[in-house]
Amino acid sequence: MAISQAMCTSFKKELLEGVHNFKDSGGDTFKIALYTSSASLGAATTAYSTTNEISGTGYTAGGNTLTRVDPSSSGTTGFTDFANTTWSSATITARGALIYNDTDSDKAVAVLDFGADKTSTSGDFTIQFPAADASNAIIRIA
């Protein structure tokens, strides 16, 4: 089993079909779920699954709802991002995460590989998203 950082292939196709709406106002609801090192996630992931999702104090199955950053562009790159998200007072260990569209059948967007297990013990577990710009945003189309 492995977690590989990737923009999900199904998401790329669904963008062309107009499935996902990232607008801050009136857009879809996106969530982020955390997974153990036993998870198998990558470009071929098509939807959220509870298989090998973490469990622990301060974590609810399905993960956190993300706060969207309105899509924008700079030069020839379109991009969007999310605000940082935190599980407070959590005792959890995660190896990676899946961003998915909770509004539309839990369709997969992107897999995040933390590179190693990350742990919090009765503390905050925070995912810090990169700056919302053409060079760093978590979702960029150049």
Side-chain angles (χ1 to χ4, degrees), residues 37-88:
S37 59
S38 297
S40 181
L41 300 169
T45 301
T46 59
Y48 161 75
S49 169
T50 58
T51 303
N52 294 308
E53 185 174 10
I54 69 155
S55 62
T57 303
Y59 184 84
T60 302
N64 280 356
T65 298
L66 294 168
T67 301
R68 295 178 306 280
V69 173
D70 241 356
S72 190
S73 64
S74 178
T76 60
T77 302
F79 58 90
T80 192
D81 214 324
F82 302 99
N84 296 344
T85 190
T86 300
W87 288 267
S88 299

Side-chain angles (χ1 to χ4, degrees), residues 86-140:
T86 300
W87 288 267
S88 299
S89 302
T91 300
I92 55 179
T93 298
R95 176 64 167 78
L98 176 69
I99 298 171
Y100 66 96
N101 187 337
D102 190 48
T103 301
D104 197 334
S105 305
D106 296 340
K107 291 179 184 321
V109 173
V111 174
L112 306 179
D113 178 3
F114 300 158
D117 281 349
K118 303 297 180 185
T119 301
S120 66
T121 305
S122 298
D124 290 348
F125 189 101
T126 300
I127 294 182
Q128 293 182 310
F129 285 95
D133 61 40
S135 299
N136 299 294
I138 198 74
I139 298 173
R140 300 182 309 274

Side-chain angles (χ1 to χ4, degrees), residues 4-12 15 42-45 109-111 138-141:
S4 299
Q5 181 109 358
M7 184 79 60
C8 298
T9 304
S10 58
F11 170 70
K12 295 173 188 177
L15 279 178
T45 301
V109 173
V111 174
I138 198 74
I139 298 173
R140 300 182 309 274
I141 301 171

